[in-house]
């Protein structure tokens, strides 16, 4: 009976053991099942992450591709459109990065995302600078910079995405391994639960494994599809770059490997140098196209042997170098060029080769030579014009004085013709005829009685004529002296300038009026003087007199066509602060058109029928040379005009360089 007693105990024990085992197995099963579910969720997230990475690869390629489209076209509208498309793709990438950051499962993925964000930000900064340069009209510079910096920057972004994809694939593989381990554990535990449990467990696991395998295969298919798409896009970008190189016919673009052998020889290089691509690719180095004398000279400066390294010495150190060289074409002809050489490196800094962009500067050098020749001609013309201007100034100023001399000469001539000397000769004839009985003739003859009175009258008239003639002769002498001063001033202008002395402003105005007095009297012009007390000035008296004579003469001419009763010139002297004296010449003449005021001091500008436009221009220059200003104002036609001369109390240092041909006097300089 013991066996039978032990059987239940054994059975119970076995049952208990089985129950315990089943409980343990169930607990383990549940733990393993939970771990398996977590692995499945992580794997699903990994698969979703791969999808996001694929989308990011597409959008980054889209941003890059539209940028290249913008650089490859000359149409500004298309450039703006492609630039907007590139920025739109940039926004998509930003959204995808935010999604991916929520799926980061480890430090490696977080570091990869951070590196991608930094590299992508650098690329976007460069892209925006390239777009700005392109939209400013300098597409060639943008293309060259894209070749130098854009390609490496985008390659860094692409490698970041590949690294993130590789990490996700690695995580997915680890998840698959863990899932397999969990499945084996479930199988072992299922055998403890019995055949049915094993069969049921195996069936469940197989169904789940099948689903996971299908998911993995689908993810692998998507990854393969994304990989093929990226390869196709890279091929398209390469083709686009080739098209850009082929289209850049105005620039020679030569690329080399690190050893200097030519690997890129665009259409512009072929046109410039006369070689076909197959003649030079992987055969020549760029120094073969350079003037050997220039290469040797540059090598001596750098302290190295002549050869290819002379051209890339700066580029090897990380600096882009632009220098003028002489290319020797295939036919032996020579062409001057500017060449910019840069190094091409991968994201790790490994040297990939060099690129040289050259532009023909023959036209620029020819234009520079023509400009130098034109400059020499202009200098010669300027000197000749300067001589003519000085001569014109002398003639104009002398002409002003000669007008007064001519008037005085006419007055002297008229007075001599109307002289009472003829009456005196008649008296002498009477005396001579009656010399024998002169006393009786004077006392008895009616004609003789009149002789004493006639002699008295003739004497008085002759004295008056003498005084008038002496006055006119003094005026002529003074004017001739002024002419001599004009000529003397122009002869000594380059040495000592004019005659500087302390002078009364009132006396200068009176001298100017006196020079014009005969003409003013003849035209019945009234002079009104409004003088304020002002100190004497240390000034070039001849220049001031030259200006005032011309202003009074112009005012007289402006009054010739007006009513004689209204002809008036007002001369004013006033102070402006402690250092400036103001002299005004105001007339009631024909006035000045508003449009002519801004040109009135320009050389050659005149509104007179017989004028030459030099007087006011010369006067303005003279005022400026003395540190003063000359300004014109007029209410309008028929309302008169006022010219204002401002001069310093003390003459400033001489102003040089104002008498060359072509000198102009700006309105601000005159009216400051």
């Amino acid at each position: 009976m013991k066996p039978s007693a032990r059987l239940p105990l054994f059975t119970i024990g076995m049952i208990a053991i089985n129950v315990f085992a089943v409980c343990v197995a169930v607990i383990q099963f549940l733990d393993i099942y939970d771990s398996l579910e977590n692995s499945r969720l992580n794997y699903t997230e990994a698969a979703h992450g791969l999808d996001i990475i694929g989308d990011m690869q597409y959008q980054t390629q889209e941003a890059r591709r539209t940028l290249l489209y913008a650089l490859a076209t000359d149409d500004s509208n298309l450039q703006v459109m492609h630039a907007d498309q590139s920025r739109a793709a940039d926004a998509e990438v930003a959204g995808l990065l935010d999604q991916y950051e929520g799926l980061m499962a480890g430090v490696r993925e977080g570091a990869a995302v951070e590196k991608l964000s930094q590299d992508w930000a650098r690329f976007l900064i460069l892209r925006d600078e390239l777009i700005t340069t392109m939209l400013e009209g300098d597409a060639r510079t943008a293309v060259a910079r894209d070749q130098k910096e854009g390609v490496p920057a985008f390659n860094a972004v692409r490698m970041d995405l590949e690294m993130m994809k590789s990490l996700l694939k690695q995580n997915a593989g680890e998840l698959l391994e863990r899932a397999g381990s969990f499945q084996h554990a479930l199988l072992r535990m299922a055998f403890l639960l019995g055949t049915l449990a094993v069969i049921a467990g195996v069936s469940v696991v197989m169904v789940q494994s099948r689903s996971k395998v299908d998911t993995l295969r689908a993810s692998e298919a998507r990854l393969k599809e994304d990989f093929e798409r990226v390869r196709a896009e890279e091929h398209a970008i390469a083709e686009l770059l080739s098209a850009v190189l082929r289209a850049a016919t105005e620039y020679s673009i030569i690329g080399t490997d690190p050893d200097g052998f030519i690997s890129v020889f665009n259409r512009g290089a072929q046109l410039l140098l006369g070689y076909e691509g197959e003649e030079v690719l992987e055969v020549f180095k760029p120094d073969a196209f350079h003037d050997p004398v220039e290469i040797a000279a540059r090598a001596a400066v750098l302290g190295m042997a002549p050869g290819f390294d002379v051209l890339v010495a700066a580029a090897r150190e990380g600096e882009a170098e632009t220098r003028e060289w002489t290319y020797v074409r295939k036919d032996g002809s020579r062409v001057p060029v500017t060449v910019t050489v840069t190094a091409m490196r991968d994201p790790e800094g490994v040297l990939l080769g060099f690129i040289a962009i050259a532009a023909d500067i023959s036209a620029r050098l020819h234009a520079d030579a023509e400009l130098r020749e034109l400059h020499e001609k202009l200098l010669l013309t300027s000197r000749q014009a300067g001589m003519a201007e000085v001569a014109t100034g002398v003639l104009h100023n002398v002409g002003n004085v000669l007008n007064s001399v001519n008037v005085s000469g006419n007055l002297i001539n008229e007075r001599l013709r109307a002289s009472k000397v003829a009456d005196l000769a008649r008296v002498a004839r009477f005396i001579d005829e009656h010399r024998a009985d002169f006393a009786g003739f004077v006392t008895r003859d009616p004609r003789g009685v009149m002789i004493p009175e006639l002699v008295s009258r003739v004497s008085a008239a002759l004295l008056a004529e003498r005084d008038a003639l002496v006055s006119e002769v003094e005026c002529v002498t003074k004017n001739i002296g002024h002419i001599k001063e004009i000529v003397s001033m122009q002869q000594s202008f380059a040495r000592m300038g004019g005659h500087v002395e302390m002078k009364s402003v009132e006396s200068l105005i009176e001298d100017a009026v006196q020079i014009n007095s005969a003409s003013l009297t003849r035209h019945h012009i009234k002079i009104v003087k409004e003088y304020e007390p002002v100190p004497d000035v240390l000034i070039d008296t001849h220049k001031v007199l030259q200006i005032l004579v011309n202003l009074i003469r112009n005012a007289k001419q402006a009054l010739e066509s007006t009513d004689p009763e209204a002809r008036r010139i007002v001369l004013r002297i006033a102070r402006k602060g402690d250092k400036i004296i103001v002299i005004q010449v105001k007339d009631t003449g024909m006035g000045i058109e508003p449009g002519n005021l801004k040109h009135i001091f320009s050389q050659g500008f005149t509104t007179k029928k017989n004028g030459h436009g030099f007087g006011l221009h010369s006067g303005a220059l003279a005022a400026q040379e003395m540190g003063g200003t000359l300004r014109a104002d007029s209410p309008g036609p028929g309302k008169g005009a006022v010219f204002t001369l401002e001069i310093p109390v003390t003459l400033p240092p001489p102003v040089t360089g104002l008498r060359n041909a072509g000198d102009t006097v700006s309105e601000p300089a005159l009216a400051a």
Side-chain angles (χ1 to χ4, degrees):
M1 295 298 297
K2 284 183 179 180
S4 61
R6 288 195 298 270
L7 183 58
L9 292 174
F10 177 78
T11 302
I12 292 171
M14 290 299 295
I15 292 173
I17 291 172
N18 286 329
V19 169
F20 178 76
V22 167
C23 291
V24 172
V26 169
I27 293 172
Q28 291 293 323
F29 180 83
L30 292 175
D31 289 341
I32 293 171
Y33 184 78
D34 288 341
S35 298
L36 183 62
E37 284 297 312
N38 288 334
S39 297
R40 184 183 66 81
L41 291 174
N42 290 336
Y43 185 83
T44 302
E45 291 177 351
H48 183 52
L50 288 173
D51 290 339
I52 293 176
I53 291 175
D55 292 339
M56 281 195 290
Q57 287 179 320
Y58 175 77
Q59 293 298 338
T60 56
Q61 292 284 358
E62 181 68 14
R64 174 66 177 164
R65 180 170 52 249
T66 50
L67 171 61
L68 291 174
Y69 286 157
L71 293 176
T73 182
D74 294 331
D75 190 325
S76 59
N77 293 327
L78 291 178
Q79 287 176 345
V80 173
M81 181 187 73
H82 292 316
D84 291 341
Q85 291 173 347
S86 180
R87 293 190 180 97
D90 170 24
E92 292 292 332
V93 172
L96 292 170
L97 274 173
D98 291 340
Q99 294 182 36
Y100 188 79
E101 287 177 352
L103 297 175
M104 288 191 301
V107 177
R108 289 180 299 175
E109 289 82 347
V113 171
E114 183 179 357
K115 188 173 184 304
L116 172 63
S117 299
Q118 294 173 352
D119 291 341
W120 180 243
R122 281 193 290 270
F123 172 75
L124 292 180
I125 292 172
L126 178 60
R127 179 205 63 185
D128 293 338
E129 292 176 353
L130 293 175
I131 289 174
T132 300
T133 302
M134 173 191 67
L135 294 179
E136 289 176 351
D138 196 358
R140 294 188 180 90
T141 300
V143 170
R145 189 178 177 194
D146 181 69
Q147 289 291 313
K148 176 183 175 182
E149 301 176 33
V151 172
F154 185 73
N155 285 340
V157 173
R158 186 178 63 184
M159 292 182 68
D160 291 342
L161 289 171
E162 289 295 333
M163 178 62 72
M164 292 168 58
K165 184 182 291 185
S166 175
L167 290 174
L168 273 183
K169 287 183 179 179
Q170 183 179 347
N171 288 341
E174 292 175 356
L175 289 173
L176 285 177
E177 290 179 2
R178 291 173 59 188
S181 299
F182 293 151
Q183 289 173 1
H184 290 303
L186 286 174
L187 287 174
R188 287 192 298 270
M189 296 305 296
F191 276 108
L192 295 175
L193 295 175
T195 303
L196 293 177
V198 170
I199 295 173
V202 169
S203 299
V204 172
V205 170
M206 290 299 293
V207 170
Q208 292 178 347
S209 297
R210 182 70 179 179
S211 175
K212 290 181 177 62
V213 170
D214 290 343
T215 301
L216 180 60
R217 288 176 177 173
S219 297
E220 290 178 348
R222 286 196 299 272
L223 287 174
K224 184 177 181 180
E225 181 181 349
D226 292 341
F227 179 74
E228 293 297 330
R229 184 178 62 189
V230 170
R231 287 188 61 184
E233 291 173 351
E234 290 178 347
H235 178 72
I237 291 174
E239 288 295 326
L240 183 58
L241 288 175
S242 297
V244 171
L245 290 176
R246 290 193 299 271
T249 57
E250 295 182 5
Y251 291 90
S252 164
I253 302 177
I254 300 176
T256 74
D257 60 20
D259 296 326
F261 289 100
I262 296 175
S263 58
V264 175
F265 197 74
N266 80 327
R267 182 60 179 165
Q270 296 174 24
L271 294 174
L272 181 63
L273 293 168
Y275 292 91
E276 295 297 329
E278 56 269 16
E279 296 181 81
V280 300
L281 291 176
E282 300 181 358
V283 177
F284 287 171
K285 293 183 179 181
D287 59 300
F289 309 130
H290 283 257
D291 182 346
V293 175
E294 292 181 350
I295 293 288
R298 184 60 180 164
V301 173
L302 297 175
M304 61 173 59
F308 171 73
D309 287 338
V310 172
L311 302 175
V312 298
R316 286 189 187 276
E317 301 299 324
E319 299 178 1
E321 182 183 46
T322 300
R323 184 174 294 277
E324 291 188 6
W325 295 93
T326 301
Y327 272 175
V328 181
R329 294 190 178 102
K330 183 178 180 180
D331 60 6
S333 60
R334 302 159 65 87
V335 56
V337 293
T338 56
V339 183
T340 300
V341 180
T342 57
M344 297 182 293
R345 301 180 185 274
D346 65 12
E348 284 73 32
V350 177
L351 181 64
L352 301 176
F354 302 93
I355 186 165
I357 302 176
D360 184 352
I361 59 173
S362 300
R364 192 197 75 189
L365 295 180
H366 180 69
D368 290 344
E370 289 184 342
L371 184 60
R372 285 194 296 272
E373 182 181 356
L374 179 59
H375 180 66
E376 292 174 358
K377 291 181 179 179
L378 285 175
L379 287 177
L380 177 60
T381 303
S382 177
R383 285 192 288 269
Q384 294 172 346
M387 295 169 62
E389 181 179 354
V390 170
T392 303
V394 172
L395 293 175
H396 180 272
N397 296 326
V398 170
N400 285 341
V401 181
L402 284 178
N403 285 335
S404 298
V405 172
N406 185 52
V407 171
S408 296
N410 289 334
L411 288 175
I412 292 173
N413 184 48
E414 291 174 1
R415 290 182 181 275
L416 289 176
R417 289 178 180 276
S419 175
K420 298 299 183 178
V421 173
D423 292 337
L424 184 61
R426 187 173 56 179
V427 170
R429 188 173 64 253
F430 284 151
I431 294 173
D432 187 61
E433 290 176 354
H434 300 86
R435 184 181 301 273
D437 187 20
F438 181 71
F441 176 73
V442 172
T443 56
R444 294 189 297 271
D445 193 310
R447 293 177 298 172
V449 173
M450 295 176 61
I451 285 177
E453 182 181 356
L454 181 61
V455 170
S456 176
R457 290 180 180 180
V458 169
S459 297
L462 288 177
L463 288 174
E465 287 179 5
R466 185 200 63 180
D467 293 340
L469 290 175
V470 168
S471 176
E472 291 298 331
V473 169
E474 287 177 350
C475 183
V476 169
T477 302
K478 189 173 184 178
N479 287 332
I480 292 174
H482 185 49
I483 292 173
K484 291 171 63 179
E485 289 180 7
I486 293 172
V487 176
S488 176
M489 185 203 70
Q490 297 297 347
Q491 289 174 339
S492 62
F493 186 86
R495 299 191 302 274
M496 298 295 294
H499 180 60
V500 177
E501 61 178 330
M502 290 297 297
K503 191 74 173 178
S504 163
V505 176
E506 182 176 342
S507 67
L508 287 172
I509 296 179
E510 292 300 323
D511 287 345
V513 173
Q514 181 62 32
I515 291 173
N516 288 282
S517 61
S519 180
L520 294 172
T521 302
R522 188 170 64 254
H523 289 87
H524 308 290
I525 295 174
K526 182 180 180 181
I527 299 296
V528 179
K529 301 174 182 179
E530 299 177 358
Y531 297 163
E532 293 182 9
V534 296
D536 291 349
V537 294
L538 181 63
I539 205 72
D540 187 328
T541 56
H542 172 72
K543 289 180 181 177
V544 175
L545 195 58
Q546 168 191 334
I547 296 170
L548 294 176
V549 167
N550 189 58
L551 293 181
I552 294 173
R553 178 172 175 270
N554 287 346
K556 183 266 298 182
Q557 292 175 346
L559 291 166
E560 289 177 356
S561 59
T562 62
D563 182 3
E565 297 297 327
R567 295 175 182 174
R568 186 176 62 172
I569 295 177
V570 179
L571 303 176
R572 291 196 181 104
I573 303 175
R575 298 187 64 168
K576 183 179 180 181
D578 296 331
K579 298 181 180 181
I580 301 296
I581 303 298
V582 179
I583 303 173
Q584 287 188 332
V585 178
K586 181 180 180 182
D587 65 69
T588 56
M590 64 181 65
I592 305 172
E593 293 281 352
N596 292 336
L597 280 174
K598 60 182 179 180
H599 303 296
I600 199 166
F601 294 104
S602 299
Q603 183 175 6
F605 180 83
T606 181
T607 58
K608 302 174 185 176
K609 182 177 180 181
N610 298 318
H612 48 68
F614 184 81
L616 289 177
H617 173 73
S618 176
L621 288 176
Q624 215 172 348
E625 291 166 1
M626 294 185 293
T629 61
L630 181 59
R631 183 177 66 251
D633 297 289
S634 174
K639 298 181 180 180
V642 56
F643 285 81
T644 303
L645 172 65
E646 295 184 358
I647 55 176
V649 174
T650 302
L651 191 67
V655 180
T656 60
L658 291 176
R659 287 292 186 180
N660 292 329
D663 285 345
T664 59
V665 183
S666 63
E667 200 65 25
L670 296 173

